[in-house]
Amino acid sequence: MKENRIMFICLGNICRSPLAEAIFQHKIKEKGIENKYYVESSGTAPYHINDLPDPRTRRVAKERGVHMEHLGQQFRSVDFERFDLLVVMDDSNYQNIKKLNPPENIEIVKMREYDPESKGDDVPDPWYGDYSDFEKCFDILDRACDNLIASLEDQA
Ligand code: 4NP
């Protein structure tokens, strides 16, 4: 297993990345492989440190049967040592992480590299939208998590 410590990253860490983390955890538990992975999420911005996920994030997770337990945290340079794979939601997250001078050995990928329906696109930020944008966000992350897990398990 090459990349078993995974950090999902967005801007605020109250919508996309905590949802990605919760969906990923849910799926690896279903498969009985949760002990193979260590997963967290964070935001590049400090706006929501120690905040619960957005109420709409919590609602969509609950409606889809995915347990969420998270408080917002900001990505820190020390996390480059703590993780093998950083999964960012959009180009601006990617640029923000690059500004922190990541070491060469850490892998940084966009979440939708794993989405067969729209490879490499951004995961749109639902924060500015309405509840249906959170449902769309869940669907994107759900598909992408399936393929991310498949790809990680292939390497195992
Ligand atoms: P997220 O969405 O990056 O998916 O968590 C956002 C949440 C909050 C803010 C921006 C994006 N904000 O500016 O507070």
Side-chain angles (χ1 to χ4, degrees):
M1 168 73 54
K2 200 164 66 88
E3 294 154 331
N4 56 351
R5 301 174 303 165
I6 302 163
M7 169 78 96
F8 293 100
I9 299 167
C10 60
L11 176 62
N13 194 219
I14 55 169
C15 301
R16 294 165 293 174
S17 65
L19 196 52
E21 177 191 354
I23 294 170
F24 187 95
Q25 295 277 21
H26 180 85
K27 287 182 184 292
I28 58 175
K29 269 191 197 132
E30 266 184 351
K31 292 178 191 295
I33 54 173
E34 70 270 28
N35 293 332
K36 290 169 71 173
Y37 295 95
Y38 177 75
V39 189
E40 284 188 26
S41 68
S42 64
T44 58
Y47 313 140
H48 296 285
I49 293 171
N50 286 331
D51 285 355
L52 284 170
D54 185 282
R56 297 164 295 178
T57 310
R58 286 184 275 143
R59 177 179 160 198
V60 76
K62 194 169 178 201
E63 285 186 3
R64 306 293 185 97
V66 169
H67 176 71
M68 276 200 108
E69 206 173 301
H70 186 75
L71 293 178
Q73 58 174 354
Q74 185 178 20
F75 184 86
R76 300 167 301 157
S77 294
V78 67
D79 293 324
F80 288 131
E81 315 303 323
R82 298 179 60 236
F83 292 89
D84 310 301
L85 175 65
L86 307 180
V87 184
V88 299
M89 299 297 136
D90 63 28
D91 285 334
S92 121
N93 308 149
Y94 186 85
Q95 295 307 330
N96 287 333
I97 293 296
K98 281 284 188 188
K99 280 183 207 152
L100 299 173
N101 294 318
E104 282 192 1
N105 62 328
I106 194 149
E107 196 176 344
I108 310 172
V109 293
K110 284 180 78 177
M111 188 66 176
R112 288 189 97 174
E113 286 301 326
Y114 299 100
D115 180 1
E117 289 191 22
S118 198
K119 223 167 174 294
D121 277 1
D122 288 349
V123 180
D125 194 339
W127 193 61
Y128 309 95
D130 59 25
Y131 183 63
S132 70
D133 296 299
F134 283 76
E135 292 180 300
K136 284 180 205 137
C137 182
F138 188 102
D139 292 336
I140 291 168
L141 296 174
D142 193 58
R143 285 197 301 271
C145 277
D146 279 337
N147 282 303
L148 171 58
I149 293 167
S151 135
L152 292 165
E153 287 294 302
D154 269 358
Q155 294 169 25

